[in-house]
Amino acid sequence: MKVNRNFQNIADSYLFSTIARKVAEYGESHPGAPIIRLGIGDVTLPLAPAVIEAMQQALCEMSVQKSFKGYGPEQGYLFLKEAIHNYYGVRGIALKADEIFISDGAKSDLGNILDLFSVDNTVLVPDPVYPAYVDTNTMAGRKILFMDANEGNGFLPLPDASVKADVIYLCSPNNPTGAAYSRDGLKAWVDYALANDAVILFDAAYECFIEDPALPRSIFEIEGAERCAIEFCSFSKMAGFTGTRCGWTIVPLALEREGASLNKMWLRRQTTKFNGVPYIVQKGAAAVFSPEGMQQTQQNLSYYKENAKVLSDALDELGIWYTGGKNSPYLWLKCPDGMESWAFFDHLLENANLVGTPGAGFGKNGANFFRLTAFGDKAATREAVVRLKKLLG
Ligand code: PLP
C-alpha cells in the first residue's frame, strides 16, 4: 500500500494558528487588553430573516410525508438554478440551466474541479493567493507556476505570452489583496486562454462587493469566456452562508478541450461523487434572491462596505499605499517603513491592540504587506481606526 506522497509537498499552514497563539500569549500577559480583530475572513452578521423563514418552511415540508424530500438532483434544484439564472440575466449574461451546478460552497468545487484535468497540466497561480489553489494542485502532483502580483501591477498580474499555462486561477475581487480586474484586464486573460487552449478557473466569491459598474462581476461578461472559463461563486460572503454552505459553479456548454465537453465531464463527476446540497439550505439560498431577501442581504453588505470605507479613509489619511477597500471587503496595505509583515503584526498588536493578517502567509509577494478585513463589528472598526491613526499618524 502506498500513500499519496504529494501530501509531503504541501506547506504546513501556520498562518492562522500562529496568529491565534500570538494573540492568546499577548492576552495572557496583558489581561483585559481591549484587542480588536481585523484579521477575520469570516462574516459576523446573522442570516437574513427572509432566509430563515424559507428554511423554516422547508423544514416543515420535510416533516410531512407528502412534501418530504429525499435525494435531490445532484446538480441542484431547478428553483435555485432559475434564481441564479435571473441573477446573471439582469446583468445581460444568458446562462442555460444545465450550465449551473449548485455546490456546498466555492472551496469544495475549486478543489473538485481538478478531477477534470490531467496531472500533466501546468497550473498558473498568482502570488499572493488564497492558499487552497496551491494546496489542491500540490496534493494532485501538478506543476505550479506563480505569477507575480505586486505594487507595480497593482496586484493584478496580466498574461505573459512567453509563459505556457494550461489551467489559470483568477480571483476578482481578490483575497487577500482586494484588487479587482477591469474589463480590459479580464479580456487579456480570456484572449490568452483562447490562444493557448487554457482554462481559466474564475473565483467570484466576492463579486457582491463590486459597486463600480465599470468593473466585471463575472468572467462571462467578457466575450469568448464561455469557451475558456469556469466560474465559482458562493452565498458565503454575499449572504452570510459560511456556516450554512451553499454556492454555485458555472461550466459552460460551449467549453470543450480535446473534443470533450467539460460540462458533461463535470456532470458525470458530480453525479458520481456528490449527492447535492440539502433541500433546506437550497430553499434558504433561493430566498436570498427574493425581493425581501435581496433588500436584507444588501443591508448586511452595506454594513461591511461601510466598515471598508472607514478603514480605507483612514489609510488615505495616513498616506499608506493599499489595494482593495473599494469593491472588496479586504484592504491590503503596504507595511510602513519597509517593515516585514510579521514584525508589523507584532507592532500593531503590542502598540494598538489590533490584529490583522500578515501578508507573508499568502505568498512571497506578501512579505511586506498586511491584510485588514471589513467583516468586523462597526463600533470596533471605528475604534480600530482611531488607534491606527494614533500609532501610524
Ligand atoms: N474563494 C476565496 C477567494 C475565498 O476567500 C473563500 C473563503 O474565504 C472561498 C473561496 C471559500 O468560499 P466558500 O465558503 O464558498 O467555500
Side-chain angles (χ1 to χ4, degrees), residues 105-107 110 130 133 171 175 203 205-206 234 236-237 245:
K107 190 181 196 177
L110 279 160
Y130 176 58
Y133 309 155
C171 177
N175 178 16
D203 186 344
Y206 297 96
S234 175
S236 281
K237 307 298 157 86
R245 310 305 304 147

Side-chain angles (χ1 to χ4, degrees), residues 15-16 18-24 26 39 335 339-359 369-371:
L15 179 63
F16 290 101
T18 307
I19 292 173
R21 180 180 53 75
K22 277 177 174 271
V23 174
Y26 183 82
C335 302
M339 231 185 239
E340 198 281 322
S341 64
W342 277 110
F344 186 59
F345 174 92
D346 292 336
H347 183 63
L348 271 190
L349 177 61
E350 285 159 21
N351 299 299
N353 291 170
L354 297 179
V355 180
T357 313
F369 289 83
F370 200 76
R371 193 188 75 172

Side-chain angles (χ1 to χ4, degrees), residues 37-98:
R37 289 176 170 77
L38 294 176
I40 181 167
D42 197 354
V43 293
T44 49
L45 295 175
L47 294 172
V51 170
I52 296 294
E53 200 181 310
M55 288 171 79
Q56 281 169 338
Q57 269 176 22
L59 186 58
C60 289
E61 286 177 52
M62 291 299 239
S63 68
V64 178
Q65 192 166 17
K66 202 162 59 115
S67 52
F68 167 78
K69 302 271 187 300
Y71 290 124
E74 292 92 339
Q75 321 80 295
Y77 283 100
L78 201 56
F79 63 79
L80 182 52
K81 296 216 268 181
E82 275 171 359
I84 292 169
H85 174 271
N86 295 339
Y87 183 61
Y88 279 77
V90 295
R91 284 181 272 145
I93 302 167
L95 298 175
K96 295 182 188 72
D98 288 350

Side-chain angles (χ1 to χ4, degrees), residues 5 13 23 50 55 63 67 130 140 155 168 218 228 246 293 317 356 392:
R5 295 257 167 217
S13 175
V23 174
M55 288 171 79
S63 68
S67 52
Y130 176 58
F155 286 93
I168 302 154
S218 163
C228 66
C246 197
E317 212 177 304
L392 305 175

